Amino acid sequence: SNVCVCLLLIWMQKEHWVGLFFYIELLRTFYLLRVCDYKAASQRVERLDTAAKSELQRGQHIKELANELRAVERTLGQLGLKERERSALSHKQRQLKAQLRASCGYDSLSDVLDYGDKLLLAPPPMHGEWLPRTAVFVLVDLMVVMVGRPKGIFKECAKRINSGLQLILGMHR
């Protein structure tokens, strides 16, 4: 029953609780691979891959909004701004915060920056639980390789292995 409520929330607010989607799909995919149901696992991996690509784009969009908000807030903090400029910048700040709130559920820069490598699992009372974004994307890349290799898609597999390695190397910089 609680799982159904959580799944309903995900369906309604999937963009905010995308971590739970990845968690459930990864568990199902691991199970399907364990029981050697490669056809169903392949379908799940395609779904995970599509979701990961979408989440990467969304993360990039959030980062761009955060950078723009940072620049606006830096300018607003300067002395000697004319009232018209301050008013226009305040309006822009409100717009950017609204866009961020719609994209990731946060509107303050500190929360958005903290959001960076987190795939949130659930709304309150479990709020705060998350999966590491980069690790999930590396797992998805590896699963694409696992289901793609038997099909003979070696170039795509090599590309995905390199993608996963780049994500891992980016984590340790």
Side-chain angles (χ1 to χ4, degrees), residues 3 17 37 49 56 60 88 102 128 139 142 155 168:
V3 172
W17 318 120
D37 187 350
D49 192 35
L56 277 170
Q60 184 61 37
L139 276 174
L142 289 174
K155 283 186 180 182
I168 292 169

Side-chain angles (χ1 to χ4, degrees), residues 58-165:
R58 191 172 80 92
Q60 184 61 37
H61 178 67
I62 290 168
K63 190 181 290 187
E64 290 167 3
L65 288 172
N67 288 338
E68 194 174 347
L69 179 60
R70 183 180 301 118
V72 166
E73 289 183 348
R74 193 176 319 119
T75 305
L76 273 171
Q78 295 175 353
L79 298 174
L81 276 179
K82 294 179 181 170
E83 188 59 36
R84 182 179 286 168
E85 291 172 332
R86 184 169 302 284
S87 176
L89 285 170
S90 293
H91 178 70
K92 181 71 173 174
Q93 180 187 36
R94 285 189 300 276
Q95 285 180 326
L96 288 169
K97 284 185 173 191
Q99 289 176 351
L100 279 168
R101 199 175 309 108
S103 294
C104 66
Y106 298 111
D107 62 1
S108 77
L109 274 176
S110 60
D111 288 339
V112 171
L113 295 175
D114 190 41
Y115 168 85
D117 192 45
K118 296 179 180 180
L119 293 173
L120 300 176
L121 285 172
M126 287 181 49
H127 192 67
E129 299 294 321
W130 54 276
L131 296 174
R133 177 185 304 269
T134 305
V136 168
F137 294 158
V138 169
L139 276 174
V140 172
D141 278 340
L142 289 174
M143 288 186 152
V144 168
V145 170
M146 287 173 54
V147 299
R149 194 168 163 260
K151 296 177 186 173
I153 312 172
F154 298 112
K155 283 186 180 182
E156 176 66 18
C157 290
K159 189 169 85 174
R160 297 310 284 265
I161 290 171
N162 285 330
S163 169
L165 287 172

Side-chain angles (χ1 to χ4, degrees), residues 2-19:
N2 288 343
V3 172
C4 292
V5 170
C6 284
L7 291 175
L8 179 61
L9 283 171
I10 289 172
W11 181 75
M12 291 170 52
Q13 296 181 333
K14 183 180 170 194
E15 65 274 357
H16 296 305
W17 318 120
V18 71

